[in-house]
mmCIF file of all heavy atoms in Angstrom:
data_model
loop_
_atom_site.group_PDB
_atom_site.id
_atom_site.type_symbol
_atom_site.label_atom_id
_atom_site.label_comp_id
_atom_site.label_asym_id
_atom_site.label_seq_id
_atom_site.Cartn_x
_atom_site.Cartn_y
_atom_site.Cartn_z
ATOM 1 N N LEU A 1132 -11.104 -26.741 8.104
ATOM 2 C CA LEU A 1132 -11.094 -25.380 8.650
ATOM 3 C C LEU A 1132 -10.819 -24.366 7.545
ATOM 4 O O LEU A 1132 -11.535 -23.360 7.416
ATOM 5 C CB LEU A 1132 -10.024 -25.261 9.737
ATOM 6 C CG LEU A 1132 -9.752 -23.833 10.231
ATOM 7 C CD1 LEU A 1132 -10.951 -23.289 10.989
ATOM 8 C CD2 LEU A 1132 -8.505 -23.783 11.094
ATOM 9 N N ASP A 1155 13.583 -17.324 23.780
ATOM 10 C CA ASP A 1155 13.946 -18.736 23.749
ATOM 11 C C ASP A 1155 15.140 -19.033 22.848
ATOM 12 O O ASP A 1155 15.710 -20.121 22.917
ATOM 13 C CB ASP A 1155 12.738 -19.570 23.295
ATOM 14 C CG ASP A 1155 11.559 -19.441 24.266
ATOM 15 O OD1 ASP A 1155 11.798 -19.071 25.428
ATOM 16 O OD2 ASP A 1155 10.414 -19.694 23.835
ATOM 17 N N LEU A 1200 -1.055 -24.805 0.196
ATOM 18 C CA LEU A 1200 -2.264 -25.645 0.207
ATOM 19 C C LEU A 1200 -3.331 -25.088 -0.722
ATOM 20 O O LEU A 1200 -4.485 -25.519 -0.681
ATOM 21 C CB LEU A 1200 -2.808 -25.749 1.635
ATOM 22 C CG LEU A 1200 -1.901 -26.438 2.653
ATOM 23 C CD1 LEU A 1200 -2.567 -26.472 4.029
ATOM 24 C CD2 LEU A 1200 -1.540 -27.843 2.206
ATOM 25 N N SER A 1216 6.207 -6.053 29.960
ATOM 26 C CA SER A 1216 6.976 -4.939 30.546
ATOM 27 C C SER A 1216 7.788 -5.367 31.763
ATOM 28 O O SER A 1216 8.580 -4.588 32.304
ATOM 29 C CB SER A 1216 6.029 -3.807 30.947
ATOM 30 O OG SER A 1216 5.110 -4.268 31.931
ATOM 31 N N ASN A 1234 5.484 -2.098 20.728
ATOM 32 C CA ASN A 1234 4.107 -1.737 20.410
ATOM 33 C C ASN A 1234 4.009 -0.436 19.622
ATOM 34 O O ASN A 1234 3.131 -0.287 18.765
ATOM 35 C CB ASN A 1234 3.268 -1.668 21.690
ATOM 36 C CG ASN A 1234 2.938 -3.048 22.235
ATOM 37 O OD1 ASN A 1234 2.731 -3.991 21.468
ATOM 38 N ND2 ASN A 1234 2.905 -3.189 23.553
ATOM 39 N N VAL A 1241 1.563 -1.083 11.199
ATOM 40 C CA VAL A 1241 0.229 -1.521 10.776
ATOM 41 C C VAL A 1241 -0.568 -0.365 10.185
ATOM 42 O O VAL A 1241 -1.151 -0.488 9.095
ATOM 43 C CB VAL A 1241 -0.526 -2.153 11.966
ATOM 44 C CG1 VAL A 1241 -1.985 -2.418 11.593
ATOM 45 C CG2 VAL A 1241 0.158 -3.439 12.401
ATOM 46 N N ILE A 1242 -0.602 0.763 10.881
ATOM 47 C CA ILE A 1242 -1.408 1.896 10.445
ATOM 48 C C ILE A 1242 -0.918 2.438 9.103
ATOM 49 O O ILE A 1242 -1.694 2.955 8.304
ATOM 50 C CB ILE A 1242 -1.389 3.017 11.514
ATOM 51 C CG1 ILE A 1242 -2.067 2.530 12.797
ATOM 52 C CG2 ILE A 1242 -2.070 4.270 11.004
ATOM 53 C CD1 ILE A 1242 -3.522 2.135 12.629
ATOM 54 N N SER A 1261 -1.931 -6.820 26.174
ATOM 55 C CA SER A 1261 -3.307 -6.877 26.574
ATOM 56 C C SER A 1261 -3.667 -5.538 27.214
ATOM 57 O O SER A 1261 -2.795 -4.730 27.500
ATOM 58 C CB SER A 1261 -3.467 -8.020 27.574
ATOM 59 O OG SER A 1261 -4.741 -8.089 28.149
ATOM 60 N N PHE A 1362 5.721 5.321 -10.140
ATOM 61 C CA PHE A 1362 6.321 6.636 -10.354
ATOM 62 C C PHE A 1362 5.231 7.706 -10.467
ATOM 63 O O PHE A 1362 5.322 8.780 -9.860
ATOM 64 C CB PHE A 1362 7.184 6.637 -11.613
ATOM 65 C CG PHE A 1362 7.858 7.954 -11.870
ATOM 66 C CD1 PHE A 1362 9.091 8.252 -11.302
ATOM 67 C CD2 PHE A 1362 7.245 8.924 -12.657
ATOM 68 C CE1 PHE A 1362 9.699 9.483 -11.515
ATOM 69 C CE2 PHE A 1362 7.841 10.154 -12.876
ATOM 70 C CZ PHE A 1362 9.075 10.436 -12.299
ATOM 71 N N ALA A 1363 4.188 7.415 -11.252
ATOM 72 C CA ALA A 1363 3.111 8.391 -11.446
ATOM 73 C C ALA A 1363 2.345 8.638 -10.153
ATOM 74 O O ALA A 1363 2.018 9.783 -9.807
ATOM 75 C CB ALA A 1363 2.167 7.900 -12.546
ATOM 76 N N ALA A 1373 1.269 14.978 0.051
ATOM 77 C CA ALA A 1373 1.525 13.666 0.656
ATOM 78 C C ALA A 1373 0.441 13.297 1.664
ATOM 79 O O ALA A 1373 0.714 12.771 2.735
ATOM 80 C CB ALA A 1373 2.910 13.623 1.310
ATOM 81 N N GLY A 1382 -7.646 2.384 -3.535
ATOM 82 C CA GLY A 1382 -7.067 1.220 -2.873
ATOM 83 C C GLY A 1382 -5.854 0.660 -3.598
ATOM 84 O O GLY A 1382 -5.265 -0.328 -3.159
ATOM 85 N N LYS A 1389 10.437 3.612 2.570
ATOM 86 C CA LYS A 1389 11.728 3.422 1.917
ATOM 87 C C LYS A 1389 11.695 4.123 0.564
ATOM 88 O O LYS A 1389 10.745 3.969 -0.201
ATOM 89 C CB LYS A 1389 12.025 1.930 1.713
ATOM 90 C CG LYS A 1389 12.430 1.197 2.975
ATOM 91 C CD LYS A 1389 12.870 -0.226 2.629
ATOM 92 C CE LYS A 1389 13.276 -0.986 3.880
ATOM 93 N NZ LYS A 1389 13.712 -2.362 3.578
ATOM 94 N N GLY A 1402 7.199 19.047 -1.666
ATOM 95 C CA GLY A 1402 7.779 20.381 -1.634
ATOM 96 C C GLY A 1402 8.939 20.578 -2.569
ATOM 97 O O GLY A 1402 9.613 21.605 -2.520
ATOM 98 N N ASN A 1410 20.048 6.153 -1.214
ATOM 99 C CA ASN A 1410 19.926 4.890 -1.908
ATOM 100 C C ASN A 1410 18.597 4.245 -1.565
ATOM 101 O O ASN A 1410 18.131 4.298 -0.442
ATOM 102 C CB ASN A 1410 21.081 3.978 -1.474
ATOM 103 C CG ASN A 1410 21.123 2.717 -2.304
ATOM 104 O OD1 ASN A 1410 20.200 1.930 -2.284
ATOM 105 N ND2 ASN A 1410 22.202 2.530 -3.037
ATOM 106 N N ALA A 1422 2.642 12.329 11.353
ATOM 107 C CA ALA A 1422 2.147 13.618 11.812
ATOM 108 C C ALA A 1422 2.232 14.627 10.685
ATOM 109 O O ALA A 1422 3.177 14.679 9.920
ATOM 110 C CB ALA A 1422 2.970 14.102 13.000
ATOM 111 N N ILE A 1436 -12.686 11.792 -5.738
ATOM 112 C CA ILE A 1436 -13.993 11.650 -6.375
ATOM 113 C C ILE A 1436 -13.843 11.533 -7.886
ATOM 114 O O ILE A 1436 -14.433 10.662 -8.528
ATOM 115 C CB ILE A 1436 -14.888 12.843 -6.004
ATOM 116 C CG1 ILE A 1436 -15.209 12.802 -4.502
ATOM 117 C CG2 ILE A 1436 -16.187 12.817 -6.816
ATOM 118 C CD1 ILE A 1436 -15.867 14.056 -3.990
ATOM 119 N N GLY A 1449 -15.640 -0.911 -20.508
ATOM 120 C CA GLY A 1449 -14.993 -2.187 -20.788
ATOM 121 C C GLY A 1449 -15.959 -3.350 -20.875
ATOM 122 O O GLY A 1449 -15.561 -4.456 -21.217
#
Side-chain angles (χ1 to χ4, degrees):
L1132 170 68
D1155 298 339
L1200 296 180
S1216 61
N1234 285 325
V1241 171
I1242 295 299
S1261 174
F1362 181 87
K1389 285 187 180 180
N1410 188 297
I1436 293 169

